[in-house]
Amino acid sequence: MASGRLALSWVGREEALLNTADGGYEWVSRQDPRVTEVRLLRETGKCGEITGTASDNLLIHGDSNDALRALTRVPEYAEQYRGKVKLVYIDPPFNTGQAFQHYDDALEHSVWLTMMRDRLLLIRELLAPGGSVWVHLDDAEMAYCRVLMDEIFGRGNFVGTVVWQKIHARNNSAQHFSAVHDYLLVYARSKSDLVLNRIDRTELSDQEFWNPDNDPRGPWRRSDLTASHAYEDGRYEVVGPHGDVFSPRGNRWWSCSRETFETLRADDRLWWGKTGRTFPFRKRFQSELGGLVPTTFWTHDEVGDNRQAKGEVTRLFDRSRIFSTPKPEALLKRVIQIATEPDDIVVDVFAGSGTTAAVAHKMGRRWVTAEISGETVETFTRPRLEKVVCGDDLGGVTKAVAWGGGGGFRSMEVAPAAFEIFDGRVFLAEWANGDDFAEMVAAQLGFTYEGVDGGPFCAGRGRTRLAVIDGVIDEVVARGVLGQLDEGERAVLVGKGVTPEAEQLVADLSAGSRVLKAPRDLVRRGRAVR
């Protein structure tokens, strides 16, 4: 009998993807150093109130994979986000074989699966034990993504599939079916730790509440006191207010014990009908029920649809700037309400027009969002979030959540690749010099970058200090660096050139210290040295 985990197979599964200059992808070995490189995040702007640290709300311009790798690998960001994110919502390209105005959605099937696999693996690292990931898709890839997520998160961590009615008008020219829905696949990092919130009650949900007996506890609804499953103490007779005797009929039992029934009677929580002679029901008070358990079918009148979403973006800007695939703010409000609490962290690495970040900000959540298209960031995402901060966004869920402006965010950009390959050899990019070189090395090696203040060390990790030399490490340089160590410390020295004498000197004078040559020793077998 065959054994092993069920897994999805596709052409190129064992390979990796790199972005190309034209916005596409190319296949490369998973050992390619450009795949495992940890890209830096550079600040390009700021809006509103910020701290200037990794804990700020972040708008990142760059590929989603590079952004996720920075959040999980660069120490100052990993400390804030790895294992601490409560919600990741992503609305990736659907791979429908169509070309949209603002991104290319015509990725080849295996490219799409590899692209998603690599990002979901990093998303799993971001999620807190009680966190969840929501992936928004249509029929093109939903079934395949479900199997992929079973493999990555574990089938036991599947929470549910939400169906969203994105269109409420029939397309009568459709060949077979008029598609009116999308899916949201919901997985937990650890289902046993996941607690989802209830949603707000609605006028429709509360239509069945009434108060014909003027109960001072307010409106209530009837609840059946019987059950279809056998209950050990569920076979007994009860006597109504006028002496009528009642008991469940057929294959029904009381759903509570006689003792509980009499407790309900004593507290006036039973309804015997207006005449006092009908079969009893339990009174469930509106004031005691709280919110509603979410269902898996969300209609357009509850959370909006595509038309509403486009209208929200149009009102923010003008008709010359209409984003092709926005999502309504009410949809994201429900997702965020169910999956998070105020001050929790929300991440979306397919930002688009910025709906997720905008709603998260209005609802008092911290957020990180990334978008690969510079044009989209400049035209939609950043201006929209600036309006939210300044209180100039009066649409969407602004009124429902009583948002009046405030907070802030930092705009970041994923740095260019530090590693370049020519004729099978790895070289450093021209920009990797000085402080930039030092910060890049710290990121690859997992050191917390502290900056260059005139001393030899630019970063630390526990009792290990990092010295990055933008040149050759010889005996003189090595001796000078080691002379700056405190007792019990050791050093990692990285230079663009290293002499054998320097390597031997470090080995002789400082046990546990080592010398590395960049880029050779930073990308051994495609993995950053740790």
Side-chain angles (χ1 to χ4, degrees):
M1 179 180 293
S3 62
R5 293 183 61 187
L6 180 67
L8 190 64
S9 179
W10 65 88
V11 175
R13 179 184 168 90
E14 302 306 319
E15 295 183 275
L17 293 169
L18 278 181
N19 292 106
T20 57
D22 61 0
Y25 293 98
E26 66 172 306
W27 293 103
V28 297
S29 166
R30 297 191 66 78
Q31 302 304 315
D32 191 303
R34 295 169 297 178
V35 172
T36 55
E37 178 187 349
V38 179
R39 301 280 194 95
L40 300 176
L41 298 179
R42 302 291 195 198
E43 183 176 310
T44 59
K46 54 190 177 182
C47 176
E49 302 171 359
I50 62 170
T51 66
T53 68
S55 64
D56 287 321
N57 297 322
L58 303 176
L59 166 59
I60 303 172
H61 170 214
D63 179 74
S64 53
N65 200 60
D66 293 329
L68 288 166
R69 188 171 293 278
L71 294 176
T72 56
R73 299 292 186 269
V74 178
E76 50 264 46
Y77 292 101
E79 182 180 358
Q80 288 289 330
Y81 300 106
R82 190 171 185 175
K84 297 180 180 180
V85 172
K86 197 64 176 296
L87 166 66
V88 176
Y89 166 90
I90 57 174
D91 179 17
F94 285 1
N95 201 18
T96 58
Q98 303 174 44
F100 288 88
Q101 180 181 356
H102 299 290
Y103 59 80
D104 181 4
D105 198 35
L107 301 178
E108 197 268 338
H109 184 69
S110 58
V111 174
W112 191 89
L113 287 170
T114 300
M115 181 270 291
M116 288 297 295
R117 184 268 316 275
D118 293 348
R119 285 150 183 77
L120 287 169
L121 285 169
L122 291 170
I123 285 171
R124 185 181 64 182
E125 295 184 36
L126 284 180
L127 287 177
S132 60
V133 54
W134 300 54
V135 181
H136 191 137
L137 296 167
D138 67 3
D139 280 313
E141 296 287 0
M142 186 278 289
Y144 296 99
C145 193
R146 167 77 190 271
V147 177
L148 184 63
M149 295 183 75
D150 279 348
E151 180 181 345
I152 293 173
F153 293 94
R155 193 170 183 179
N157 286 317
F158 171 70
V159 179
T161 301
V162 173
V163 177
W164 168 49
Q165 186 186 18
K166 64 179 179 180
I167 299 171
H168 68 279
R170 186 188 310 273
N171 177 11
N172 222 34
S173 63
Q175 183 178 6
H176 297 114
F177 290 99
S178 176
V180 298
H181 68 276
D182 280 352
Y183 304 96
L184 284 81
L185 297 176
V186 185
Y187 278 76
R189 182 65 180 89
S190 171
K191 195 172 180 180
S192 60
D193 294 314
L194 180 68
V195 177
L196 297 180
N197 297 317
R198 298 193 172 201
I199 62 174
D200 297 333
R201 306 193 69 86
T202 66
E203 183 177 345
L204 180 64
S205 69
D206 289 350
Q207 283 183 345
E208 60 185 357
F209 286 91
W210 65 339
N211 194 3
D213 57 348
N214 294 316
D215 195 301
R217 289 165 290 192
W220 50 269
R221 63 173 174 81
R222 301 190 313 172
S223 176
D224 192 0
L225 273 167
T226 67
S228 59
H229 60 277
Y231 179 58
E232 184 178 355
D233 296 327
R235 287 293 191 187
Y236 53 88
E237 293 182 341
V238 298
V239 179
H242 300 293
D244 304 283
V245 178
F246 301 95
S247 63
R249 298 178 180 177
N251 295 322
R252 305 288 294 182
W253 287 260
W254 294 112
S255 59
C256 61
S257 66
R258 181 187 293 274
E259 180 182 6
T260 299
F261 187 95
E262 293 304 327
T263 299
L264 294 173
R265 187 203 296 265
D267 197 27
D268 191 21
R269 290 178 178 267
L270 297 179
W271 174 246
W272 304 88
K274 292 182 178 180
T275 64
R277 311 191 76 104
T278 63
F279 196 87
F281 288 87
R282 182 173 183 172
K283 293 162 65 174
R284 298 278 190 181
F285 291 95
Q286 184 180 21
S287 59
E288 298 175 354
L289 290 178
L292 301 172
V293 174
T295 69
T296 55
F297 180 62
W298 298 358
T299 61
H300 72 92
D301 56 339
E302 293 177 288
V303 296
D305 57 15
N306 284 345
R307 180 181 297 178
Q308 179 177 325
K310 290 184 178 181
E312 290 171 351
V313 175
T314 300
R315 284 188 292 273
L316 276 172
F317 304 107
D318 53 61
R319 292 194 175 275
S320 65
R321 291 187 290 172
I322 300 177
F323 192 76
S324 58
T325 57
K327 299 300 179 288
E329 290 200 5
L331 174 67
L332 270 300
K333 175 180 178 290
R334 174 166 289 189
V335 172
I336 293 170
Q337 178 183 357
I338 291 172
T340 69
E341 299 289 349
D343 296 324
D344 282 341
I345 303 172
V346 177
V347 170
D348 179 359
V349 290
F350 294 93
S353 64
T355 304
T356 304
V359 177
H361 198 104
K362 294 177 184 180
M363 295 178 68
R365 274 64 169 175
R366 291 172 54 196
W367 55 265
V368 176
T369 195
E371 170 57 42
I372 192 171
S373 168
E375 179 184 358
T376 297
V377 171
E378 294 301 320
T379 306
F380 298 101
T381 325
R382 180 161 50 231
R384 180 179 192 171
L385 294 173
E386 289 173 346
K387 287 178 179 289
V388 172
V389 170
C390 295
D392 295 333
D393 176 5
L394 304 180
V397 301
T398 296
K399 185 175 180 180
V401 300
W403 175 251
F409 66 92
R410 286 198 294 155
S411 295
M412 313 293 289
E413 186 171 39
V414 174
F419 302 133
E420 298 177 351
I421 297 181
F422 296 99
D423 295 328
R425 298 178 60 191
V426 182
F427 297 88
L428 289 174
E430 290 186 4
W431 66 264
N433 294 293
D435 292 355
D436 290 334
F437 176 51
E439 188 176 2
M440 181 275 292
V441 170
Q444 307 315 307
L445 301 182
F447 282 83
T448 300
Y449 186 68
E450 300 164 353
V452 179
D453 58 2
F457 304 114
C458 65
R461 188 178 63 207
R463 298 290 291 171
T464 303
R465 309 293 299 280
L466 175 66
V468 179
I469 310 301
D470 193 359
V472 178
I473 300 176
D474 57 19
E475 288 180 282
V476 175
V477 172
R479 194 180 297 276
V481 170
L482 295 180
Q484 297 294 314
L485 290 174
D486 291 333
E487 184 177 354
E489 290 184 333
R490 57 185 181 179
V492 174
L493 293 78
V494 180
K496 293 180 178 178
V498 177
T499 67
E501 293 79 11
E503 291 181 298
Q504 187 60 53
L505 178 70
V506 170
D508 293 340
L509 297 183
S510 179
S513 294
R514 53 182 173 161
V515 181
L516 304 177
K517 180 181 178 181
R520 180 195 67 191
D521 296 328
L522 301 181
V523 294
R524 291 174 183 167
R525 298 182 183 177
R527 291 190 176 186
V529 181
R530 296 283 174 171

